[in-house]
Amino acid sequence: MIAMRTQERLIESARALLWERGYVGTSPKAILEHAGAGQGSMYHHFKGKSDLALTAIRRTCAELLGTAEALLCGPGTPYERIEAYLLRERDVLRGCPVGRLTMDPEIIASAELRAPVDETLDRLRERLAGTVEEGKERGQFPPHLDGEEIAATVLATVQGGYVLARASGSPAAFDTGVRGLLSLLRSDTDQVA
Amino acid sequence: MIAMRTQERLIESARALLWERGYVGTSPKAILEHAGAGQGSMYHHFKGKSDLALTAIRRTCAELLGTAEALLCGPGTPYERIEAYLLRERDVLRGCPVGRLTMDPEIIASAELRAPVDETLDRLRERLAGTVEEGKERGQFPPHLDGEEIAATVLATVQGGYVLARASGSPAAFDTGVRGLLSLLRSDTDQVA
DNA sequence: GTCTATACACTGATAGAC
DNA sequence: GTCTATCAGTGTATAGAC
């Protein structure tokens, strides 16, 4: 945080605290202390808490979408790309920095704050759905599977995996759920390139 | 709330607010106002906010577990029971009253508050795993599926379904994810009683 | 048992000095 | 741009009257 401008430190501090404590659980004071800034700085660069949060959330969403799309548009067969997305390294116990926001009452109550979250998960679903459809065309997945449905299942398994892991205090439950999903997808996979 | 004793009204008010706003987002004042009680009542019946929350959480966990086990131990084949659990009526946009607590930093930071959440989701997984294993014995599911893994996948799909639904502001995403999961389970199902 | 009164820190925001 | 000072309201908890 040392070599950043104050505005930048505020955004990064807000991102970290929103991930850890959510919107309701994050106070301007906590952000300012984390950023090493005085009370007035935030109100110079942003209209208030929600304005700073919106900037932070948009950046987090963009980053997450970039990471996921890189894997889903990368090399390999459709199954392999979905597998890569599911098995990618994650800080499981911290939860999903985007998904966790959906449990925050003030994020859901604000159309503006919810919008980037909605858009991010929606694009991820589209990308996953496209990958499944491509797998069907290539004969890797059977035609009776629905791309949109499987996409939602894959994304839900990931988001719910975080819930199970955090409840148990261990990443194991996340991995177990993912392995189960992969075994179901493999059952349907003709091992064809 | 009219015919209840004050203590009971406090617990039910805490349950409602914890579901809607989480632990961090729920203040004693809000609980007292919702319950129509004065400031002192809560501190007569409970040691403080966390003590009341613990009582409320335990009751919510017991209720959820009861509902789920009734379906998973009910009539029908293993597949049908899992289907009944997945398709049961839910207030999807409100989220899971137990699962949402895992995104609360103060619940996770407290071993005492996290314990009932952990135990509830763990028992649910065990019950689901047993159901899958039973399906394997009966020849309804193929032997290569792992009961524990599929149980985690099923539970994660439900928990993650809430996330997708709340993000999009519509229950549709939950249903889509569940349909995808059921289609994967059916692919592996020999339609045998 | 339930109430009001009170305490003290924190919340989100503004004013104005530098 | 950043700071300190200040504000009205809220958060969690206690004291003590009834």
Side-chain angles (χ1 to χ4, degrees), chain B residues 49-88:
Chain B
K49 176 185 173 179
S50 67
D51 186 39
L52 168 54
L54 183 57
T55 304
I57 289 170
R58 282 183 176 146
R59 186 178 291 184
T60 295
C61 285
E63 202 178 278
L64 185 80
L65 198 58
T67 303
E69 294 200 317
L71 291 167
L72 290 172
C73 302
T77 66
Y79 173 85
E80 284 166 351
R81 277 177 273 151
I82 290 171
E83 185 182 43
Y85 167 72
L86 286 168
L87 296 179
R88 86 169 226 247

Side-chain angles (χ1 to χ4, degrees), chain A residues 101-172:
Chain A
L101 298 173
T102 62
M103 292 303 140
D104 206 299
E106 301 196 9
I107 299 280
I108 296 302
S110 156
E112 202 178 20
L113 291 173
R114 184 170 64 82
V117 176
D118 183 16
E119 211 177 295
T120 300
L121 295 177
D122 206 54
R123 287 200 192 170
L124 250 171
R125 275 200 287 163
E126 280 173 24
R127 188 67 66 184
L128 281 162
T131 307
V132 172
E133 291 297 336
E134 190 190 326
K136 283 164 64 178
E137 285 166 23
R138 291 218 224 166
Q140 191 174 32
F141 294 125
H144 67 82
L145 292 186
D146 179 280
E148 295 284 343
E149 286 182 3
I150 301 301
T153 305
V154 169
L155 199 44
T157 300
V158 168
Q159 293 295 328
Y162 287 119
V163 171
L164 303 186
R166 283 174 64 90
S168 63
S170 153

